[in-house]
């Protein structure tokens, strides 16, 4: 039996309300499940979540009614396809009420999610976003990390991605957005998007496929060309042109493995260039250090970048 | 309505309350060997009754209380069976599994559980909140939401298993031994 199945069996035993349950032998994982129920951390977590919002009886009935209708219309796959990844949250989508969905990934995890409108989002590790879709618009708030969007074309419902102070507005296209400390980077793979500040429309710049741009210091940087056929973070590659070392460290930290401490400011601002494979952060940084004049040391389970190439520049040896 | 009838009604309802409390007490102590623990369960039942009443109307408070009390009694015995006495284990397990608070500290556990709850389907989360936070019996939750009890049970089972799974994914080892 898989661990999940064992946990479900024990959870079922723990939540049953009939008398007969007391006569049955506790399942193997009963103790583990009981430990969760007895943990005061669960009580606190439940209260915290309850304070964010509860559903009334009417909310639940309306939600189930809408879902029944949706099932009939054949969109069920889209709605239930997100279970375990996130779920539509809070408000229901009675008529104009939006579908809200929260999706996040852990470090080292990547996920492909299909949204209620058929658009697809691929999330890099350590990424978090909220999706709101209603009758008039489709909106994503990228809170952290990086994501690739393949947007279903809908003339009537523009799709907007907000990341930091930057807004990207599209009708149907494929593009990638990377939110880092310093800037928001956009790369367009298909179609075109309008890219700009918080109000999106007016000050925005139209960026077509094969071009990328970034938003930093309250302005859009003039777009530059890139090759859309080249592999990117989705295949563990990174193109560091227009990147500084601090941003590369953020991208590496979205992946699994040893966490890299934020580099000191002098290193963080170091401009980079070239394409690199992201699968071994330690090796990559070690090699770059020799060129850019820094070294990599291990401190407990963290990697630390130190200015100056002197000393034992052998990061891989213990 | 004159004042006399109001007083009489209040008296009647006070008498009913008293009768219910005594019946509950008999029900619980008849099942529990420990009188102190039994009194706690009656108290807890009333706390849940008042909480529930603040939000919804209850047609039959007696039935509600008995359902809650019965669940609490079951929980008590189930806990005893799920967690065998520590003394028994200490002898024959050479290398005991670390306890939850030795692997993940309290704050980490709360964070993991909050995240897992937030990413749960909203209906499942709500049902689980009603059962565990509000302490409302499954049958009552099912009736309020127009669902079958089996559906409510299934949501709770999944929710609870997912919460445990979320903790284990973040490093908490399975403590149960075959």
């Amino acid at each position: 039996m898989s661990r999940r199945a064992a946990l479900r069996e024990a959870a079922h035993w723990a939540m049953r309300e009939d008398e007969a349950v007391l006569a049955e032998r506790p399942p193997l994982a009963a103790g583990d499940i009981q430990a969760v129920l007895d943990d005061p951390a669960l009580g606190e977590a439940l209260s915290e979540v309850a304070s964010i919002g509860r559903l009334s009886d009417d909310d639940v009935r309306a939600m189930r009614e809408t879902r029944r209708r949706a099932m009939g219309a054949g969109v069920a796959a889209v709605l239930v396809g997100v279970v375990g990844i996130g779920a539509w949250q809070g408000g229901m989508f009675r008529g104009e009420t939006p579908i809200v969905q929260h999706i996040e990934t852990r470090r080292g995890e990547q996920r492909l999610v299909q949204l209620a409108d058929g658009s697809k989002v691929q999330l890099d590790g350590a990424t978090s976003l909220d999706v709101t879709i209603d009758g008039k618009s489709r909106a994503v708030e990228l809170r952290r990390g990086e994501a690739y969007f393949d947007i279903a074309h809908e003339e009537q419902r523009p799709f907007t991605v907000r990341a930091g102070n930057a807004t990207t507005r599209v009708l149907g296209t494929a593009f990638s957005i990377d939110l880092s400390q310093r800037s928001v980077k956009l790369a367009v793979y298909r179609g075109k998007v309008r890219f700009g500040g918080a109000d999106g429309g007016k000050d925005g710049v139209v960026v077509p496929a094969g071009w990328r741009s970034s938003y930093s210091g309250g302005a859009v940087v003039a777009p530059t060309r890139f090759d859309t056929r080249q592999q990117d973070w989705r295949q563990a590659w990174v193109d560091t042109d227009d990147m500084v070392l601090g941003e590369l460290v953020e991208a590496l930290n979205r992946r699994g493995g040893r966490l890299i401490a934020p580099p000191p400011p002098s290193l963080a601002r170091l401009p980079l260039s070239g394409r690199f494979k992201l699968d071994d952060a330690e090796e990559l940084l070690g090699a770059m250090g020799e060129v850019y004049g820094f070294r990599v040391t291990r401190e407990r389970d963290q990697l630390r970048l130190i200015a100056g190439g002197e000393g034992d520049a052998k990061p891989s040896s213990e | 309505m004159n004042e006399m009838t109001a007083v009489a009604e209040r008296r009647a309802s006070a008498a009913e309350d008293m009768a219910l409390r005594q019946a509950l007490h008999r029900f619980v102590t008849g099942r529990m060997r420990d009188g102190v623990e039994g009194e706690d369960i009656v108290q807890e039942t009333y706390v849940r009754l008042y909480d529930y009443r603040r939000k919804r109307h209850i047609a039959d408070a007696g039935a509600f209380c008995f359902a809650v009390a019965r669940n609490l009694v079951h929980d008590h015995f189930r806990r005893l069976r799920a967690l065998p006495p520590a003394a028994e284990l200490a002898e024959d397990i050479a290398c005991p599994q670390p306890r939850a608070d030795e692997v993940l500290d309290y704050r980490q556990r709360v964070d993991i559980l909050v995240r897992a709850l937030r990413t749960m389907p909203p209906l499942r989360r709500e049902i689980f909140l009603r059962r565990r936070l509000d302490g409302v019996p499954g049958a009552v939750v099912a009736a309020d939401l127009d669902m079958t009890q089996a559906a409510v049970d299934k949501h709770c089972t999944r929710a609870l298993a997912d919460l445990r799974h979320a903790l284990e994914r973040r490093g908490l080892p399975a403590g149960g031994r075959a």
Side-chain angles (χ1 to χ4, degrees):
Chain A
M1 191 179 357
S2 74
R3 181 65 183 160
R4 204 176 261 277
L7 289 175
R8 283 201 182 153
E9 187 191 30
H12 181 62
W13 186 81
M15 295 300 287
R16 264 172 62 185
E17 294 175 281
D18 55 306
E19 202 95 27
V21 71
L22 295 176
E24 285 175 25
R25 210 176 116 87
L28 276 185
D32 290 342
I33 290 290
Q34 193 63 48
V36 175
L37 289 174
D38 288 347
D39 190 346
L42 177 63
E44 180 166 344
L46 289 172
S47 308
E48 193 175 325
V49 170
S51 70
I52 298 168
R54 296 288 302 263
L55 301 178
S56 71
D57 295 353
D58 289 339
D59 286 340
V60 172
R61 290 207 180 101
M63 187 163 94
R64 296 176 64 236
E65 182 54 34
T66 316
R67 187 152 55 179
R68 261 196 293 276
R69 256 182 270 135
M71 294 264 192
V75 283
V78 176
L79 295 179
V80 297
V82 297
V83 169
I85 295 161
W88 23 312
Q89 186 141 353
M92 303 312 101
F93 65 116
R94 257 168 285 159
E96 295 299 293
T97 326
I99 306 176
V100 184
Q101 188 177 336
H102 175 76
I103 308 168
E104 63 178 51
T105 51
R106 286 167 288 141
R107 284 188 67 215
E109 175 189 30
Q110 287 191 7
R111 238 173 219 174
L112 179 65
V113 182
Q114 184 157 21
L115 305 182
D117 67 332
S119 298
K120 294 190 191 97
V121 183
Q122 185 168 355
L123 288 80
D124 198 357
T127 295
S128 163
L129 52 82
D130 293 308
V131 186
T132 309
I133 295 181
D134 61 22
K136 293 202 199 75
S137 67
R138 303 172 284 169
V140 165
E141 174 93 39
L142 179 65
R143 301 193 175 280
R144 157 161 72 81
E146 181 165 27
Y148 176 88
F149 298 86
D150 191 339
I151 303 304
H153 188 89
E154 282 190 39
E155 206 83 38
Q156 307 305 324
R157 271 201 305 186
F159 197 106
T160 313
V161 180
R162 294 182 55 117
N165 290 321
T167 307
T168 310
R169 200 178 149 86
V170 305
L171 294 175
T173 160
F175 58 95
S176 162
I177 292 193
D178 174 3
L179 172 63
S180 66
Q181 295 274 341
R182 201 183 66 130
S183 67
V184 180
K185 289 182 189 301
L186 163 80
V188 183
Y189 292 80
R190 202 185 65 236
K192 50 183 156 193
V193 311
R194 183 174 283 280
F195 186 54
D199 62 346
K202 289 146 228 154
D203 66 331
V205 173
V206 173
V207 183
W211 291 78
R212 61 185 169 202
S213 177
S214 61
Y215 187 92
S216 64
V220 178
V221 177
T224 54
R225 283 211 76 96
F226 78 104
D227 186 352
T228 57
R229 292 160 310 173
Q230 278 195 327
Q231 298 193 316
D232 55 33
W233 60 268
R234 290 169 295 157
Q235 297 88 21
W237 277 94
V238 64
D239 188 337
T240 60
D241 293 354
D242 309 324
M243 248 188 172
V244 294
L245 185 58
E247 291 168 333
L248 177 67
V249 166
E250 283 183 59
L252 286 167
N253 274 337
R254 289 189 198 126
R255 315 188 70 85
R258 275 207 173 72
L259 202 63
I260 307 153
S266 61
L267 285 179
R269 284 194 298 269
L270 207 60
L272 308 175
S273 71
R275 283 173 55 75
F276 300 99
K277 190 83 176 151
L278 286 171
D279 52 4
D280 189 335
E282 204 167 343
E283 195 179 292
L284 171 61
L285 289 171
M288 291 182 97
E290 286 174 22
V291 180
Y292 289 97
F294 61 85
R295 63 196 169 88
V296 185
T297 61
R298 274 189 193 176
E299 251 168 60
R300 297 208 194 119
D301 48 359
Q302 280 209 342
L303 296 181
R304 202 168 282 282
L305 309 186
I306 297 166
E310 310 304 310
D312 56 332
K314 297 206 72 188
S316 305
S317 61
E318 280 291 5
Chain B
M1 185 196 293
N2 63 35
E3 213 161 284
M4 288 303 284
T5 31
V7 169
E9 268 179 16
R10 245 198 325 267
R11 245 189 221 147
S13 89
E16 265 173 40
D17 279 356
M18 184 58 81
L20 174 59
R21 186 177 267 273
Q22 282 167 353
L24 264 182
H25 204 267
R26 276 196 304 277
F27 172 82
V28 173
T29 46
R31 282 164 174 74
M32 308 280 294
R33 270 163 231 139
D34 183 345
V36 177
E37 198 105 37
E39 190 47 51
D40 285 348
I41 287 184
V42 175
Q43 276 307 330
E44 178 63 24
T45 303
Y46 272 94
V47 169
R48 293 186 184 187
L49 173 68
Y50 292 133
D51 279 349
Y52 186 83
R53 255 191 185 146
R54 278 209 311 246
K55 287 179 246 167
R56 291 180 190 78
H57 171 73
I58 297 185
D60 187 348
F64 183 90
C65 286
F66 277 102
V68 170
R70 200 190 56 220
N71 279 348
L72 290 170
V73 171
H74 287 183
D75 284 349
H76 172 78
F77 286 114
R78 192 156 28 201
R79 179 173 297 116
L80 293 182
R81 301 200 58 199
L83 305 171
E88 233 175 82
L89 285 173
E91 300 303 317
D92 54 312
I93 296 179
C95 173
Q97 294 282 4
R99 293 198 326 266
D101 52 1
E102 290 166 353
V103 181
L104 299 166
D105 68 33
Y106 179 78
R107 210 55 248 171
Q108 281 175 312
R109 285 178 349 254
V110 172
D111 286 348
I112 293 167
L113 292 168
V114 166
R115 269 165 186 246
L117 284 162
R118 287 200 62 187
T119 48
M120 213 172 260
L123 176 60
R124 178 164 307 165
R125 179 174 54 229
E126 177 61 30
I127 290 174
F128 192 65
L129 281 170
R130 289 183 186 208
R131 283 286 314 272
R132 286 309 302 185
L133 185 67
D134 307 339
V136 177
V140 177
V141 175
D144 285 345
L145 300 181
D146 250 349
M147 297 172 76
T148 62
Q149 171 135 27
V152 167
D153 284 349
K154 192 167 175 182
H155 277 299
C156 290
T157 298
R158 291 270 164 97
L160 181 54
D162 288 353
L163 292 178
R164 174 72 201 185
H165 198 246
L167 289 165
E168 291 184 1
R169 262 201 331 244
R170 296 284 290 270
L172 195 68
R177 276 178 61 108

